[in-house]
Amino acid sequence: MSIRIVQLSDLHLYRDQDSLLAGVPTWTTFRAVLDLVSRQQDDFDYLILTGDLAQDEALETYKMLREALGDWIPRCRVIPGNHDDRGKLRAVFPELLPDCEGPLTFALQCQDWRVIGLDSHTPGETSGHIDGDQLQWLRAQLASGPGYPVLLFVHHPPIPINVSWLDNLGLNDAAEFVELIETSPQIKVICAGHVHQEFAGQIGAAALYTTPSTCVQFAARNEKAFDTTMAGYRTIVLEKDGYHTEVHRLSE
Ligand SMILES: [Fe+2]
Ligand SMILES: [Fe+2]
């Protein structure tokens, strides 16, 4: 038996469904990606939304997102990005998020794997941060299932992706988090968003993957530039003895 996980990232939706981000109609591409998931992966176990869900951070936008996810809601999990509002996410997805104040994290037991979502949102900032309390929570999660391999989700990649303008807007003060990953060999996979492009790297025993946006794509260049690759999503299939992951994109 395997666990099939779908990751959708960087939706950048607006209240006005016709709004464009860098010329891209974000609702149109998001709905096309949902449609693709529906055709290709309808039997998925979990759908993880990894932040930057609402460009305008409006309550109405989150309600429209909930409506669009429809019957999939019980299989969804949400972590915020820089373009998100924790209070409004809590209000619209109460059954998916912790009901107390603080970071929007989650932890799932998926057969032989632990799947953990982290919250790197920093109010008012584009860059992110994971504070000491959340690292303590992560340590406790890792200690509670020492024999299980771990898949982590976090909006901001923990290490640079060699695209300087995005790396300057990455995770601040990440050294302690990176050290925790490097000293936790059970962390096998980390999936991030934020950078609107595919990248693969390594932190200790963990493979790091970033995932395309469901709307605008950025080019792997040091100055800000858009890319013409199509919007898409990632799947991660967890097996007893490993995993495999793949990016799927809309066709032209
Ligand atoms: Fe984004
Ligand atoms: Fe972001």
Side-chain angles (χ1 to χ4, degrees), residues 10 12 50-52 81-83 126 155-156 169 193-196:
D10 296 270
H12 293 272
T50 55
D52 284 1
N82 44 297
H83 288 286
T126 304
H155 180 72
H156 296 79
L169 300 171
H194 187 59
V195 296
H196 294 222

Side-chain angles (χ1 to χ4, degrees), residues 34-232:
L34 281 188
D35 210 50
L36 190 63
V37 171
S38 174
R39 279 184 276 123
Q40 295 180 330
Q41 325 281 344
D42 194 39
D43 61 344
F44 66 79
D45 295 284
Y46 288 101
L47 189 155
I48 315 288
L49 296 151
T50 55
D52 284 1
L53 309 183
Q55 177 71 14
D56 56 11
E57 301 180 22
L59 188 69
E60 191 61 27
T61 307
Y62 291 121
K63 288 180 178 169
M64 289 158 66
L65 169 59
R66 184 180 175 105
E67 182 83 22
L69 293 167
D71 295 345
W72 288 353
I73 290 284
R75 287 185 282 166
C76 291
R77 294 295 180 275
V78 176
I79 55 172
N82 44 297
H83 288 286
D84 279 310
D85 182 292
R86 287 190 183 120
K88 290 171 188 166
L89 277 169
R90 257 195 197 92
V92 174
F93 299 98
E95 71 275 62
L96 302 182
L97 294 168
D99 59 3
C100 50
E101 289 301 305
L104 304 182
T105 56
F106 69 83
L108 299 167
Q109 185 71 37
C110 292
Q111 295 176 7
D112 298 306
W113 284 74
R114 298 273 292 161
V115 178
I116 296 173
L118 300 176
D119 178 347
S120 58
H121 174 82
T122 306
E125 301 284 333
T126 304
S127 52
H129 180 57
I130 297 193
D131 66 17
D133 286 348
Q134 194 175 157
L135 289 179
Q136 215 33 52
W137 175 85
L138 176 58
R139 280 192 192 91
Q141 290 297 322
L142 295 171
S144 72
Y148 297 115
V150 173
L151 161 60
L152 280 186
F153 287 98
V154 59
H155 180 72
H156 296 79
I159 55 170
I161 64 154
N162 310 319
V163 174
S164 59
W165 77 274
L166 284 167
D167 292 337
N168 290 336
L169 300 171
L171 207 56
N172 289 334
D173 304 320
E176 195 182 345
F177 179 37
V178 170
E179 189 188 346
L180 176 56
I181 298 166
E182 286 172 342
T183 54
S184 303
Q186 70 268 49
I187 303 177
K188 303 297 186 197
V189 193
I190 302 168
C191 291
H194 187 59
V195 296
H196 294 222
Q197 63 195 278
E198 238 188 304
F199 169 83
Q202 191 79 26
I203 312 173
L208 167 71
Y209 301 99
T210 68
T211 295
S213 163
T214 64
C215 57
V216 175
Q217 310 303 309
F218 293 137
R221 291 196 218 133
N222 282 331
E223 62 297 330
K224 185 170 182 177
F226 300 105
D227 196 88
T228 54
T229 47
M230 299 298 282

